[in-house]
Amino acid sequence: MIQKLEAYFMKDFIERGGALAVFAILMFIPVSFVRSIFMILMITVILSHMDPHRHHRESISELTALPFSYSQIFWFPFVSLITIVTIVQLAVSGIIGLSIYIAFSQIAYSLIFLTAYYGLFNIFAVAGLSGSGFIWLFWVADIIFGSIEPQSQNLYRMISPIYQENEIAALLFAVAIVAISSYLFSKKGVTKKWQKRLSM
């Protein structure tokens, strides 16, 4: 398992290392809203093979031909993204000199956001939609629904990946999204959909 994970990391960084490095550097901007934008960009880059509406060299069928299971194809990119985001957040906290509590809070915020949007991208892709397009539509909807007044009575803000007014509720919501996307990816025969679209 560890060897396969390392192999997947090497493959990702060889193919997408330049773009990921740029987005990781831009994530050093200490503003949560700005970091969320670059996290979405990293998700779209690292999951480009999952988007049936993008023209790319690597397709999901090519990945399944490699010695990776469906579960590994789903979770390895997620682990890769978590690793990048955590390292960047720790580096930013050290440079700025944040307290341990604030640093942990910012890391938790980023990982909850990342988990939710990673799952959403996959759900859209499994449904045959453009993950890289619909994920931005959800981001806009996330902002709009979370800003509905009065905010003190807006229950959506509690689970919103952007606002996260209740971190536990937001975490549970994010975990539920990624769990559903994992189930759909592994159980719904998505490969046929991608192959059909790619052959058109």
Side-chain angles (χ1 to χ4, degrees), residues 7-54:
Y8 200 99
F9 278 18
M10 289 295 295
K11 180 178 179 300
D12 259 352
F13 282 106
I14 289 173
E15 296 174 353
R16 306 177 178 89
L20 292 175
V22 170
F23 296 145
I25 291 172
L26 292 172
M27 278 184 60
F28 274 79
I29 300 173
V31 179
S32 296
F33 182 79
V34 174
R35 280 202 304 269
S36 69
I37 294 175
F38 294 116
M39 280 192 283
I40 292 179
L41 290 173
M42 282 200 296
I43 290 171
T44 59
V45 168
I46 211 165
L47 290 182
S48 60
H49 60 277
M50 292 282 291
D51 197 330
H53 289 266
R54 290 186 63 178

Side-chain angles (χ1 to χ4, degrees), residues 25-200:
I25 291 172
L26 292 172
M27 278 184 60
F28 274 79
I29 300 173
V31 179
S32 296
F33 182 79
V34 174
R35 280 202 304 269
S36 69
I37 294 175
F38 294 116
M39 280 192 283
I40 292 179
L41 290 173
M42 282 200 296
I43 290 171
T44 59
V45 168
I46 211 165
L47 290 182
S48 60
H49 60 277
M50 292 282 291
D51 197 330
H53 289 266
R54 290 186 63 178
H55 296 287
H56 44 73
R57 296 178 183 174
E58 179 186 63
S59 69
I60 191 69
S61 59
E62 290 172 340
L63 274 177
T64 56
L66 297 174
F68 299 117
S69 66
Y70 281 108
S71 177
Q72 291 167 346
I73 292 173
F74 180 88
W75 290 109
F76 281 0
F78 184 57
V79 173
S80 179
L81 285 166
I82 286 179
T83 302
I84 295 171
V85 170
T86 302
I87 291 174
V88 170
Q89 291 286 126
L90 289 172
V92 170
S93 300
I95 293 172
I96 299 177
L98 298 176
S99 66
I100 295 177
Y101 174 78
I102 295 178
F104 178 79
S105 295
Q106 291 196 355
I107 292 173
Y109 173 89
S110 295
L111 294 184
I112 290 171
F113 180 92
L114 179 69
T115 300
Y117 276 78
Y118 182 88
L120 287 166
F121 185 105
N122 281 281
I123 289 174
F124 291 136
V126 167
L129 304 172
S130 173
S132 57
F134 277 83
I135 197 174
W136 287 109
L137 291 178
F138 185 90
W139 181 72
V140 173
D142 197 0
I143 294 173
I144 293 173
F145 288 139
S147 62
I148 295 175
E149 300 287 349
Q151 293 184 359
S152 60
Q153 298 178 23
N154 187 343
L155 297 180
Y156 176 74
R157 288 177 67 90
M158 297 177 66
I159 63 172
S160 166
I162 289 180
Y163 296 99
Q164 296 183 25
E165 289 212 341
N166 186 311
E167 288 187 351
I168 295 177
L171 174 61
L172 293 175
F173 181 61
V175 169
I177 291 175
V178 81
I180 291 171
S181 65
S182 175
Y183 172 81
L184 293 174
F185 179 79
S186 61
K187 300 296 183 182
K188 297 300 183 180
V190 295
T191 305
K192 294 180 180 178
K193 290 185 178 180
W194 273 300
Q195 289 177 335
K196 182 179 178 180
R197 287 185 177 276
L198 290 170
S199 63
M200 292 176 64

